[in-house]
Amino acid sequence: MRGSAKVCGTKMTGVRTLLAVIALATFAGRATAGEPGAELPHGDDVVEARDAFRRGSALAKSGDWEAALVAFERSAHLKPHPVTTYDIAYCERALGHYARASFRFAEALAAGSDGTAALPADLEHDATGYLEEVRHRVVKVLVARKPEDTTIRVDGRGLERMEPSDHPVYAVAPHAATVERTPAGPIEVWLDPGTHVFVASGKGDAHVVESRTFAAGESGTLTLALPAKVSAPSLPRTQDDLQPHSDRTAAFIAFGVAGVGLAGSTLFGALAVSEKHSLDADPACAAKKCPPSFAGRESRMVTFADLATAGLITLGVGAAAGTYFLLTASSPKKSAAARVVPWFAGTSAGVSGRF
């Protein structure tokens, strides 16, 4: 069904659904008969896999791609089959997940090379065309890290290695909890077009955040370097150093809160913008109006926006409180003059002073 999006996969009709169900049943029958090379799956798993496949087909026909994807992935987990893999790839494509769709289409096409079930000829033809289509939309970014053992998250999620591939390639994991250790050196990450937020984390609380926007089919490089620890130079000692100074602990704590608010506002604001661009670019959202099945993604965008707003409020409150505590801190030496000295060190800069 090239050019049609009524179902998850080409020609997702009752005939194709029946073929997949028969394949599951045949597998179970061969195992029961003791055919050499056949593994004996648990009967309940085969039945549940068949039911999940039928449920995914029905959801796909109604245009609920996210729910259909979940059902097909459940069926594939219980009983893998190239037709199910194809349907997963088609759902990913319909959702705009071109990077993950490309790996799934390739996986479906590779089935059968080891003597297992192969993709039917008509679906093989369509999968080849879809694979070429999504590969032209995939963004390929070569990410370098300094230091090389830095952990990377993209859009709040970890990375996972994808197969099949002739060299290590990573994509954004579908679940936020997924974190896979990546090898040292630059890594190739495949992304969907749009805005993405990269967060690199090192030992302790060292981290760097960078937002980049990519066009469909774009290739690029990105270096995520954790900031070096640079200490501000000390001011020359004067007679003032021998005098007791005011306690500005409360001010420093308040300014620290403001810094947390700034970081949170920047991160969640970028995630909200990324989610909005993703929805705007989705063909299903015509005239800025998405179908009900997109409610989860829209809700996620609103949540990110709310968190960004909360970060701005925290920034404002912390900055105001810090300024107040700084100006009202008592000091036994009332005549002490404020002194501020700028400093620079490589790419870092700042000011040191006493009040």
Side-chain angles (χ1 to χ4, degrees), residues 36-273:
E39 298 179 2
L40 181 61
H42 194 282
D44 292 342
D45 289 347
V46 174
V47 172
E48 186 178 348
R50 186 187 305 123
D51 291 342
F53 186 91
R54 287 171 171 165
R55 184 167 62 255
S57 301
L59 290 166
K61 290 177 182 178
S62 66
D64 192 347
W65 301 109
E66 289 188 342
L69 177 60
V70 172
F72 284 129
E73 287 180 334
R74 176 60 179 168
S75 178
H77 174 74
L78 294 168
K79 175 63 182 77
H81 193 278
V83 173
T84 311
T85 304
Y86 174 92
D87 292 329
I88 291 173
Y90 197 95
C91 287
E92 296 280 23
R93 170 182 173 271
L95 289 168
H97 304 163
Y98 303 122
R100 300 190 66 82
S102 66
F103 291 108
R104 289 298 196 176
F105 279 126
E107 181 182 348
L109 288 169
S113 58
D114 56 354
T116 58
L119 199 64
D122 59 335
L123 295 186
E124 181 179 356
H125 175 270
D126 292 331
T128 302
Y130 288 134
L131 177 60
E132 182 179 359
E133 173 197 324
V134 296
R135 283 281 170 89
H136 279 90
R137 299 182 182 180
V138 170
V139 175
K140 300 179 181 180
V141 183
L142 190 64
V143 181
R145 298 158 292 165
K146 296 181 180 179
E148 293 186 341
D149 60 350
T150 300
T151 301
I152 301 177
R153 299 185 77 88
V154 181
D155 301 333
R157 297 180 178 180
L159 301 177
E160 65 175 349
R161 181 169 175 172
M162 303 300 294
E163 298 290 352
S165 176
D166 55 356
H167 63 284
V169 176
Y170 293 82
V172 179
H175 307 293
T178 302
V179 177
E180 182 169 319
R181 186 175 182 84
T182 53
I187 59 174
E188 184 175 345
V189 182
W190 288 18
L191 302 167
D192 303 323
T195 301
H196 297 279
V197 179
F198 299 81
V199 179
S201 303
K203 297 180 179 179
D205 58 354
H207 69 278
V208 62
V209 180
E210 184 162 342
S211 178
R212 293 279 295 272
T213 301
F214 302 95
E218 182 179 351
S219 296
T221 59
L222 175 66
T223 300
L224 299 172
L226 295 179
K229 293 184 177 180
V230 180
S231 301
S234 302
L235 292 174
R237 293 180 63 84
T238 67
Q239 186 64 24
D240 290 343
D241 297 325
L242 304 178
Q243 302 295 333
H245 291 277
S246 59
D247 184 4
R248 303 186 178 91
T249 303
F252 295 153
I253 293 175
F255 283 131
V257 172
V260 172
L262 176 61
S265 176
T266 302
L267 174 61
F268 289 109
L271 289 175
V273 171

